[in-house]
Amino acid sequence: PDCVFFPDRLGPILEANTGAGYINNCQYGMHGPIEVFSVKALDMLSADYAASEDGKAPKRCVTEQHFGQWGEDMFMDQCLSKVLGVTERPTEPKLVCEDHCDCPEFFWCRKGGDIVSYHPMKTVGAYEACLGNALAQNPGSAAALAAATKPAAPVAAPATTAAAATPSSASYTSGVAAPASSVSYSGALPSSFGAGVSSGSYSSAL
């Protein structure tokens, strides 16, 4: 994926938009790097799929639109808002900072500590640089990541014990815990986003 996403920054936006059908992320219409839908909106979309002959496409959204070469993001935006009538569609520019939505700061990822995602990062180096720059906007997050990814100090071998009169009875026990192998995030989401997404989680291998 070429979108650098910070799930912990999404929570406040969901809380601020409780009750929304879905959240638009750009003044030009919803863009695809990150899309946020409520359960209500997805249920309406599911019902439109069920109404089709084979259940493989949303019936009204296909028959009532001239979508031509639209991308998935524009199709979904128009399908939900214009055809299915999902009117609760607030625009939240903090969801994504990208080149196609008038956010020139996307490349350096220094727009602010509350930007949920940056797009696009087409190389590993660009992705890593973006991650570092964005986390630097939140000193606490950057420190936590640095501490979690710091290599574990080598563990010295236990000291040997001089052989007793009965060598076979000599023993030792080591209780060294293994270093952490992942960083995890978990946060509660508003109930309006449904039981299926009542909590968000993110895990990344170190």
Side-chain angles (χ1 to χ4, degrees):
D2 60 356
C3 179
V4 181
F5 170 48
F6 302 93
D8 58 320
R9 300 179 182 182
L10 181 59
I13 289 178
L14 297 182
E15 292 177 1
N17 291 281
T18 298
Y22 68 103
I23 304 176
N24 179 43
N25 57 24
C26 178
Q27 68 267 32
Y28 301 127
M30 187 175 69
H31 285 192
I34 179 171
E35 300 173 355
V36 181
F37 305 102
S38 68
V39 170
K40 175 184 176 182
L42 294 181
D43 283 345
M44 294 175 71
L45 181 66
S46 177
D48 202 30
Y49 268 90
S52 66
E53 184 175 346
D54 58 6
K56 294 182 178 180
K59 183 178 181 179
R60 291 184 58 202
C61 289
V62 169
T63 60
E64 297 179 22
Q65 296 190 109
H66 301 286
F67 47 88
Q69 297 184 357
W70 292 358
E72 169 275 333
D73 45 9
M74 184 173 181
F75 179 87
M76 283 291 290
D77 193 12
Q78 298 298 305
C79 168
L80 292 173
S81 64
K82 301 295 180 60
V83 179
L84 300 183
V86 181
T87 57
E88 302 86 359
R89 176 187 174 272
T91 297
E92 178 49 79
K94 292 178 182 178
L95 273 180
V96 62
C97 174
E98 68 164 352
D99 56 344
H100 291 162
C101 200
D102 295 344
C103 188
E105 298 93 338
F106 84 94
F107 186 77
W108 299 110
C109 305
R110 292 173 177 163
K111 179 71 173 176
D114 54 356
I115 301 299
V116 176
S117 65
Y118 289 92
H119 177 264
M121 301 299 151
K122 297 296 186 180
T123 67
V124 173
Y127 193 102
E128 291 177 341
C130 177
L131 185 65
N133 288 340
L135 286 176
Q137 305 292 299
N138 297 90
S141 297
L145 180 64
T149 57
K150 182 179 180 180
V155 178
T160 58
T161 303
T166 308
S168 61
S169 65
S171 65
Y172 69 87
T173 300
S174 176
V176 180
S181 59
S182 66
V183 178
S184 299
Y185 160 78
S186 179
L189 305 183
S191 59
S192 65
F193 279 77
V197 288
S198 59
S199 64
S201 64
Y202 171 73
S203 180
S204 175
L206 303 182

